[in-house]
Amino acid sequence: MGIVDAHPSAEKTRPQILDLVGKRKVHFVCLTHPHADHGVDLIPILRNHRAVDEFWHTNSDISSFVYHCLTERPNYPSPVREFVNRLADGWADFLLDLYSSVRGLPERKLHSNVQPIEIAGVRIWILGPEEQQAKQFVETYLKRASGVGKLLPSPNLLSAILAIEYGGCLAVLGSDALKGGWNHALEVHKANGLPRAIVLKVPHHGAANALALEKGRKNYLDLCSKQRAVGILFAGDSKHPNKKVFDELRGKTQLLCLSNGQKGAYGPANPLNIKMPGARSVRRSYVCQSQITVELNSDGSFKVQGMNCEECLAHSVY
Amino acid sequence: MSVEVLPYARREDIFKSEAPSPGTTIRYTSHDYVRGIESLRVRPARDVKPPRKRQPTEKILRRFEGFLVEDEGEDYRVVFIEDGLPVEYYMPSSPLRKAGITASNQPFQVDEVEIESASGRVVVGYSFTPMAKPSDAFNDAIELTDERRRKLNAIFERFGKAKV
């Protein structure tokens, strides 16, 4: 088996990750990008599982990245200084915990120039990030981190886009890849003559900055089969998924989600009652189903188990 | 009906004369609803005192402090401090950017302001003020405990030395 990103279940509706994996051989553990909501549950696997073959990631210079996050923390003389430090401590500790757990495992740096990786008849294509772009991100991050008064770029830009091919079917894992990343992914997909995806892990929890909705612009839905694609939306927060994105996904895919796309962040979406359009708190979504199973078969058939959004909304408590 | 109108005069010319104008006499010869009224005397508007204009007023309803975390394109991810606790928010980036809030961790203050316009209309708006300039930033290094040092060394051992 391979593990691509993992975060503990806050509601404890699924078994602990070590119980879920059991004693099975893990061919790879993949961190698509260094954000805690994608990586926290990879730590126990890397630390405790005895049979992991490789660690996959997209960061071209992990040591410098972690070192700068520890030592270069811009702050200001202000009453909120302590809160800045607390947030930065959490981020630094996550990076330290995760990367120090890799220990002696062989690493594989993912970018679109990497040849497809074949494991037990399953072919894994890397549609993104572009190698140069990934390097540039780390360089820019380090440069800005060592200067003062700069805005750091979002690590979402490092997101790996994986396409899993088996029996003529393709499942695309979109990570938190943003609009720009998908332009390149579409080119790689076309250049390699890959089939259209029947399953898509919706990128960035259905955020507006991942799906280009402007007329005439290509977006990640162009990778998907027009007749039978299933979109899988992972738990978001009060701002994710974006309403327009959610409507587009429902129109063009059979949508299943781990979170209720219409509403459902725990607690109010705007606890401070800020009367400004677009102001939303970062509160995680209600998770309405803990598990969605996708089965790709060698004869080209596939099976997806889980409630689709129509059912999920119909049974919604909201 | 016959109406007698004064000749056109430039606005400035009217205001030059201090004495009230003789006015205009409009004589109605027939009109049902003014039956019985023979004439109406009209003066230019300058003779009538305009209603006193109210000045727009501003009242600060609430004040938050917070800091910028990350650029999410059209949104900024920010943290507000409410009752001593951090509350993470997405905010439209444009008003913050315009106010000069452009750097990671830069602290700012936001005032929720109630504005009553001259016409008496009440609106609620937000005013963002940076509490420090990007150039005021200094480096607040993390406390490198033994445990953190051990983990950092393990990373260097596995992934090579950092470029400093």
Side-chain angles (χ1 to χ4, degrees):
Chain A
M1 78 184 296
I3 303 172
V4 181
D5 292 347
H7 190 269
S9 162
E11 294 85 9
K12 305 199 188 315
T13 47
R14 71 150 167 81
Q16 298 282 317
I17 189 103
L18 285 168
D19 296 333
L20 202 63
V21 174
K23 289 184 177 166
R24 280 181 285 184
K25 180 182 169 65
V26 178
H27 289 94
F28 63 88
V29 166
C30 173
L31 175 72
T32 58
H33 63 291
H35 264 162
D37 63 328
H38 290 252
V40 167
D41 235 3
L42 298 180
I43 298 167
I45 293 289
L46 291 167
R47 272 191 193 155
N48 304 312
H49 199 279
R50 291 183 181 278
V52 180
D53 280 355
E54 287 183 353
F55 172 62
W56 295 5
H57 65 91
T58 54
N59 195 325
S60 59
D61 189 351
I62 287 174
S63 293
S64 302
F65 189 75
V66 177
Y67 180 77
H68 277 80
C69 289
L70 278 171
T71 58
E72 310 279 356
R73 180 191 300 174
N75 212 334
Y76 296 81
S78 87
V80 299
R81 179 178 167 189
E82 181 205 334
F83 293 96
V84 170
N85 283 339
R86 265 194 242 167
L87 194 78
D89 278 0
W91 161 242
D93 283 332
F94 160 67
L95 296 176
L96 282 171
D97 282 344
L98 184 108
Y99 291 124
S100 66
S101 305
V102 175
R103 293 174 296 179
L105 286 182
E107 63 171 328
R108 194 188 287 261
K109 287 180 192 170
L110 303 181
H111 50 76
S112 56
N113 288 341
V114 168
Q115 289 299 306
I117 303 149
E118 199 153 328
I119 301 168
V122 178
R123 190 172 285 182
I124 302 167
W125 297 82
I126 317 300
L127 305 185
E130 198 177 358
E131 186 176 14
Q132 197 50 36
Q133 239 172 16
K135 275 189 184 161
Q136 234 167 37
F137 167 84
V138 176
E139 277 165 23
T140 308
Y141 195 97
L142 298 182
K143 206 170 144 190
R144 289 195 189 173
S146 21
V148 288
K150 305 278 189 214
L151 190 58
L152 297 172
S154 166
N156 287 336
L157 294 165
L158 266 186
S159 288
I161 303 173
L162 306 185
I164 295 164
E165 190 186 12
Y166 185 69
C169 285
L170 198 73
V172 172
L173 307 182
S175 179
D176 277 358
L178 305 179
K179 285 178 193 174
W182 287 101
N183 294 336
H184 180 69
L186 280 154
E187 283 170 22
V188 179
H189 178 265
K190 193 177 171 190
N192 288 291
L194 295 176
R196 282 179 178 258
I198 48 102
V199 174
L200 168 78
K201 182 264 153 187
V202 175
H204 200 197
H205 319 276
N209 60 1
L211 181 66
L213 284 170
E214 300 87 350
K215 217 176 172 184
R217 273 194 72 178
K218 294 254 179 197
N219 61 39
Y220 58 72
L221 286 169
D222 291 303
L223 282 178
C224 297
S225 160
K226 287 196 168 31
Q227 288 82 38
R228 52 176 194 162
V230 175
I232 297 172
L233 189 59
F234 275 62
D237 53 41
S238 354
K239 186 110 188 184
H240 301 119
N242 170 278
K243 173 87 175 73
K244 280 185 190 162
V245 174
F246 187 72
D247 290 345
E248 189 77 3
L249 289 168
R250 279 178 80 192
K252 294 194 172 162
T253 66
Q254 186 199 343
L255 189 62
L256 296 100
C257 53
L258 294 172
S259 59
N260 185 319
Q262 288 291 294
K263 196 184 167 186
Y266 280 110
N270 187 357
L272 300 181
N273 195 23
I274 296 176
K275 299 173 195 79
M276 180 183 267
R280 284 280 178 278
S281 75
V282 184
R283 296 219 171 179
R284 67 191 165 80
S285 289
Y286 174 79
V287 174
C288 52
Q289 50 188 328
S290 59
Q291 206 167 326
I292 294 172
T293 311
V294 178
E295 205 178 287
L296 305 183
N297 300 313
S298 56
D299 61 359
S301 64
F302 72 101
K303 204 164 105 185
V304 182
Q305 279 180 313
M307 282 191 297
N308 70 27
C309 271
E310 302 312 318
E311 285 175 68
C312 145
L313 292 171
H315 293 107
S316 163
V317 291
Y318 302 108
Chain B
M1 185 179 96
S2 73
V3 178
E4 187 188 307
V5 182
L6 281 180
Y8 169 77
R10 282 174 67 91
R11 194 178 162 79
E12 306 91 86
D13 297 339
I14 293 172
F15 281 93
K16 266 179 202 164
S17 68
E18 282 180 11
S21 75
T24 306
T25 303
I26 302 172
R27 292 191 185 86
Y28 295 90
T29 51
S30 71
H31 232 305
D32 278 355
Y33 55 88
V34 288
R35 191 174 293 157
I37 298 174
E38 280 187 358
S39 68
L40 204 63
R41 200 167 163 73
V42 180
R43 286 184 187 282
R46 70 185 173 90
D47 291 340
V48 182
K49 267 197 172 173
R52 207 172 148 196
K53 251 193 175 177
R54 275 198 302 184
Q55 290 297 311
T57 56
E58 275 189 23
K59 190 166 75 183
I60 296 174
L61 301 176
R62 292 188 292 170
R63 175 168 285 173
F64 302 109
E65 286 172 347
F67 59 95
L68 169 59
V69 180
E70 204 171 77
D71 186 3
E72 290 257 345
E74 287 166 16
D75 291 317
Y76 272 170
R77 196 168 163 144
V78 304
V79 170
F80 291 117
I81 312 302
E82 170 80 348
D83 293 332
L85 292 171
V87 185
E88 281 192 65
Y89 253 78
Y90 296 107
M91 296 292 286
S93 57
S94 154
L96 281 97
R97 208 178 286 134
K98 278 181 193 159
I101 300 150
T102 54
S104 291
N105 301 342
Q106 189 181 357
F108 63 87
Q109 181 180 289
V110 51
D111 287 339
E112 187 177 76
V113 187
E114 187 184 80
I115 304 159
E116 190 174 351
S117 69
S119 62
R121 193 167 162 239
V122 177
V123 286
V124 173
Y126 293 86
S127 152
F128 294 87
T129 316
M131 285 154 73
K133 295 192 294 289
S135 57
D136 294 335
F138 58 86
N139 192 15
D140 224 357
I142 196 168
E143 191 196 342
L144 211 51
T145 58
D146 287 348
E147 200 191 342
R148 283 178 176 147
R149 199 182 294 276
R150 183 183 59 75
K151 287 174 184 167
L152 187 62
N153 285 336
I155 291 170
F156 288 168
E157 219 168 273
R158 173 62 193 81
F159 297 104
K161 289 274 176 224
K163 285 180 205 133
V164 181

